[in-house]
């Protein structure tokens, strides 16, 4: 019997995952966790064979949870899920020690196969995660736009960005407007997060 813990913050999805996996004859979901704080006590208590862990693409640092699981529960294989894999998130998750990467829109049969494979000590990387690394999205930002956004990431005011990059104040505004349009962000900080997540900075 493969003992599994499901860590997912969305209650409905967490319940569906637990029910679906538990319906398999050789899999038993022994616990679930809604957040990281709850996860550590569950792992210490249950020591599962596999942890199905949701990773948020907008927070690449969420892969740090994988590294902590590997240290705190070395006998537990981490099967990371994400609704969208980006090159930085794939690299961070694998470097942290995740044994498997799957997309949240994967078929149930594929998820079950991934649980069984990771429990057996093998690595699983589903096609969407592989494609993210092999065919990363083309960076839409120009070199100058990247320079402006890097300065904006430091919280530098527009006038200072203009002075630092030897640009007119209006030119910096135009670059920022183009950056917001290309990233689909509502403000500078959101644009920074999008660009970092996609590996454009």
């Amino acid at each position: 019997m493969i003992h599994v813990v499901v860590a997912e913050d969305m209650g409905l999805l967490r319940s569906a995952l637990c029910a679906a996996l538990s319906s398999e004859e050789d899999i038993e979901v022994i616990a679930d966790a809604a957040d990281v704080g709850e996860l550590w006590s569950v792992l210490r208590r249950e020591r599962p064979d596999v942890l199905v862990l949701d990773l948020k693409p907008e927070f690449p640092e969420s892969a740090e949870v994988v590294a902590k699981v590997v240290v705190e529960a070395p006998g537990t294989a981490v099967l990371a899920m994400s609704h969208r894999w980006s090159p930085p998130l794939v690299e961070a998750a694998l470097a942290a020690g995740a044994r498997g990467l799957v997309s949240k829109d994967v078929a149930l049969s594929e998820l079950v196969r991934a649980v069984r494979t990771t429990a057996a000590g093998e690595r699983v990387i589903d096609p969407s995660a592989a494609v993210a690394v092999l065919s990363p999205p083309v960076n839409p930002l120009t070199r100058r736009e990247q320079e402006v956004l890097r300065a904006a990431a430091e919280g530098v005011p527009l006038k200072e960005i203009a002075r630092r990059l030897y640009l007119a104040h209006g030119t910096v505004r135009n670059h920022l407007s183009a950056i917001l349009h290309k990233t689909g962000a509502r403000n500078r900080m959101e644009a920074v997060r999008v660009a970092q997540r996609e590996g454009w900075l």
Side-chain angles (χ1 to χ4, degrees):
M1 185 66 75
I2 301 169
H3 295 124
V4 175
V5 165
V6 174
E8 162 62 53
D9 63 352
M10 294 180 65
L12 189 59
L13 178 55
R14 188 171 68 253
S15 298
L17 283 169
C18 291
L21 291 173
S22 291
S23 68
E24 299 294 320
E25 289 184 0
D26 59 340
I27 297 174
E28 180 185 1
V29 177
I30 52 177
D32 60 81
D35 55 51
V36 174
E38 188 181 352
L39 176 60
W40 305 126
S41 59
V42 168
L43 287 179
R44 280 192 293 271
R45 184 177 70 245
E46 303 294 348
R47 296 293 178 182
D49 301 306
V50 177
L51 168 64
V52 178
L53 175 67
D54 175 39
L55 295 187
K56 300 281 186 276
E58 58 271 26
F59 300 113
E61 64 274 11
S62 64
E64 294 170 9
V65 176
V66 176
K68 188 171 180 183
V69 171
V70 170
V71 171
E72 302 228 347
T76 298
V78 178
L79 177 59
M81 294 186 307
S82 182
H83 68 82
R84 192 171 57 78
W85 290 103
S86 65
L89 186 60
V90 170
E91 290 166 16
L94 292 177
R99 194 176 294 166
L101 307 179
V102 294
S103 171
K104 277 190 166 182
D105 62 4
V106 74
L108 176 60
S109 59
E110 292 300 316
L111 177 62
V112 169
R113 185 178 297 118
V115 168
R116 290 176 178 140
T117 303
T118 53
E122 298 173 37
R123 176 162 278 182
V124 176
I125 300 179
D126 90 354
S128 64
V131 166
V133 174
L134 297 174
S135 304
V138 176
N139 187 345
L141 304 178
T142 66
R143 183 181 58 80
R144 185 57 98 180
E145 287 167 353
Q146 290 176 62
E147 291 172 351
V148 169
L149 195 55
R150 282 193 193 95
E154 298 172 22
V156 177
L158 287 185
K159 286 184 180 178
E160 174 59 22
I161 294 174
R163 189 193 63 77
R164 185 187 292 187
L165 299 178
Y166 304 102
L167 296 171
H169 186 267
T171 303
V172 172
R173 268 206 320 269
N174 290 340
H175 280 312
L176 285 171
S177 177
I179 289 166
L180 294 181
H181 176 72
K182 289 177 179 180
T183 59
R186 291 165 294 185
N187 55 55
R188 283 188 278 171
M189 288 302 102
E190 187 176 327
V192 168
R193 286 196 295 274
V194 170
Q196 289 175 335
R197 180 187 74 207
E198 299 295 343
W200 297 339
L201 279 185

